[in-house]
Amino acid sequence: MALDWVGNLVSIHCGPTLGVYQGEISSVDQTSQTISLRNPFHNGVKCTVPEVTFSAMDIKDLKILEISKNSIEVSKQNGPESSSTTLMPHVGRKDKGGGGGGGASVNSAPVMVPNKAEPRLQEGGVSPVPHYSKSYGERHIDMAVQGSSSCRGPNQATPKKNGLKNGGHMKNKDDECFGDGMDDVLDEDFDFEGNLALFDKAAVFSQIESSERRGNGARSRGTPGEQTPSRYRHDENILEAKPVVYRQITVPQNGSKEYSTDSGLVVPSISFELHKRLLAAAESHGLSLERRLEMTGVCASQMALTLLGGPNRLTPKNVHQRPTVALLCGPHVQGAQGISCGRHLANHEVEVVLFLPNFVKMLEAITSELALFGKTGGRLVSNVKDLPGTPVDLVINCLDSHENGFLRDQPWYKAAADWANQNRAPVLSIDPPVSGQAHAVEAKWSLSLGLPLPLSEGAGRVYLCDIGIPRQVFQEVGIKYHSPFGCKFVIPLHSE
């Protein structure tokens, strides 16, 4: 039987000290328990000696790399009873539980190697022929010995990927390198529909809702007896200490109209007489007309810049398309507010055309504002014929006065109002008069100061700007005041 193994290519592992040898079996001595290899390779390098002999006690592991033709022919001659032969009992992996001194016990169980010459199919159509895996170094040695890239004989069967499982060293090379022992689990497809049917989503969510809710329908948040709404908006505060009061501004005499902010705060309108008293009280405490004009000009220009397109229009890449604004001002305080707004717009690279009729004597506020406006490079005209003949981007109307209603009968007023109505540009009115007076120019937006006046429908959408009046000044004229502006200086108002 020892002759059956002569000629086979094997790999012998002799531990970390002696290393790994590969070569062709030249002789097997069962008496002395030795095996000899001819043309041996040691750790991938060909040995200088033609033959090496190993003792069974030095062998840690033995792998058959290729079965020779002679072994197959000998097996055929011996008949069916020799279809599997027994390797010598002491050649194999040592028992790692043995003692030291080189006298460690070895595995006495024989290793059965099936005959490759008779590939009979087992159950399931799997061939019993073993397929032995090889490392990269062993494949390199085989190429050096055979002079070919193939390490299999011409009659050797192609290895099957579904080889014998749990066969130790008899595993496919890919399975040995990449396998994770999950073949049995992957044989069966996962039943998604069956597992999904086991999960009753409606019942689970119903159980969650019932466990979180109390008998009165309030959701528990950890405090006994606490009742809070079951749903909240993304911007809603859930830690409210007290209910919100939306009427935070009260006036001594309720006006004819009330407005509300985007957050729901109520802003009542006031009469023109109360508005005059409020401005006079603020001026007595140091909020002079010049400071009020400056504040109104800043807020009005910010609103106008937003209406003109804001950052989408006023960019360095759009210098060739600068917006054009026409300012129509009268010889009064409202006209001075418009001139202040025009100055700030001109400072922000807006082309401003200011219309102001010639008067022999003008208010000091208008004179000072005109002097500052002249330093901006803006255009000043006193005749309606000098206004642009094409539509502009925005018309700002400051023609009307709260007290001097006779100005509407002046020719310059009528001509300017007709030009604004025919220009087809949107109109922004700054500090328009109360609803008792008709609007000669239909406005799309109106900007009120401090607190709104009761405006008519012709005023368009109403906005409110903060001109810096302190709370105690409001209290002096009988107004209970809390600022509705929040983080802004100009806010929209909605009619109730």
Side-chain angles (χ1 to χ4, degrees), residues 88-320:
M88 54 186 175
H90 295 290
V91 179
R93 185 184 302 273
K94 282 188 178 182
D95 187 0
K96 296 183 181 179
S105 61
V106 297
N107 186 8
S108 60
V111 180
M112 303 300 296
V113 180
N115 188 1
K116 191 177 180 180
E118 299 178 11
R120 296 191 300 270
L121 292 178
Q122 295 179 351
E123 294 182 12
V126 180
S127 172
V129 179
H131 306 290
Y132 306 100
S133 60
K134 292 184 285 185
S135 64
Y136 174 80
E138 294 168 355
R139 291 197 298 271
H140 180 72
I141 297 304
D142 292 340
M143 288 189 294
V145 173
Q146 299 178 11
S148 173
S149 62
S150 175
C151 64
R152 302 183 181 276
N155 297 328
Q156 188 173 1
T158 302
K160 303 295 183 179
K161 191 172 182 179
N162 55 350
L164 297 177
K165 298 178 182 178
N166 301 326
H169 60 278
M170 295 187 298
K171 293 180 65 177
N172 182 272
K173 59 182 180 181
D174 293 335
D175 295 339
E176 183 181 26
C177 181
F178 303 105
D180 55 358
M182 299 295 293
D183 293 340
D184 294 336
V185 179
L186 298 178
D187 286 343
E188 296 181 2
D189 293 336
F190 182 76
D191 187 4
F192 287 95
E193 295 183 358
N195 282 270
L196 184 60
L198 298 177
F199 176 67
D200 190 353
K201 184 166 62 175
V204 172
F205 277 98
S206 176
Q207 183 180 2
I208 294 175
E209 291 292 333
S210 61
S211 62
E212 289 186 349
R213 293 182 180 277
R214 301 188 180 189
N216 55 4
R219 185 184 298 272
S220 173
R221 295 201 176 260
T223 304
E226 181 184 9
Q227 297 183 5
T228 56
S230 59
R231 294 181 181 275
Y232 295 92
R233 297 196 314 270
H234 66 283
D235 59 347
E236 186 176 359
N237 183 15
I238 66 173
L239 301 177
E240 295 178 357
K242 56 184 179 180
V244 179
V245 178
Y246 291 99
R247 188 176 293 274
Q248 299 181 359
I249 302 176
T250 57
V251 295
Q253 295 178 355
N254 292 330
S256 59
K257 296 189 69 173
E258 285 189 342
Y259 301 91
S260 62
T261 65
D262 290 338
S263 58
L265 297 177
V266 178
V267 180
S269 63
I270 58 176
S271 62
F272 175 67
E273 290 74 15
L274 184 58
H275 195 267
K276 283 179 59 178
R277 288 171 50 201
L278 176 63
L279 295 181
E283 191 170 351
S284 65
H285 287 284
L287 188 61
S288 61
L289 176 61
E290 291 77 9
R291 298 178 68 177
R292 196 169 75 239
L293 292 178
E294 189 69 18
M295 219 29 219
T296 304
V298 170
C299 292
S301 61
Q302 285 183 348
M303 181 177 176
L305 290 173
T306 303
L307 296 176
L308 291 172
N312 297 325
R313 180 77 180 274
L314 301 170
T315 61
K317 297 180 180 179
N318 257 353
V319 292
H320 61 290

Side-chain angles (χ1 to χ4, degrees), residues 301-382:
S301 61
Q302 285 183 348
M303 181 177 176
L305 290 173
T306 303
L307 296 176
L308 291 172
N312 297 325
R313 180 77 180 274
L314 301 170
T315 61
K317 297 180 180 179
N318 257 353
V319 292
H320 61 290
Q321 294 179 344
R322 294 171 57 187
T324 302
V325 174
L327 264 168
L328 308 179
C329 298
H332 37 65
V333 174
Q334 283 71 30
Q337 294 173 164
I339 299 173
S340 175
C341 174
R343 169 167 55 90
H344 288 290
L345 289 176
N347 290 338
H348 287 266
E349 303 299 327
V350 177
E351 292 185 3
V352 180
V353 181
L354 172 61
F355 169 78
L356 181 67
N358 285 326
F359 281 86
V360 177
K361 186 178 180 180
M362 291 190 181
L363 295 176
E364 183 180 354
I366 293 182
T367 304
S368 60
E369 288 295 335
L370 279 177
L372 288 175
F373 178 79
K375 303 298 182 181
T376 63
R379 227 172 90 196
L380 174 63
V381 298
S382 58

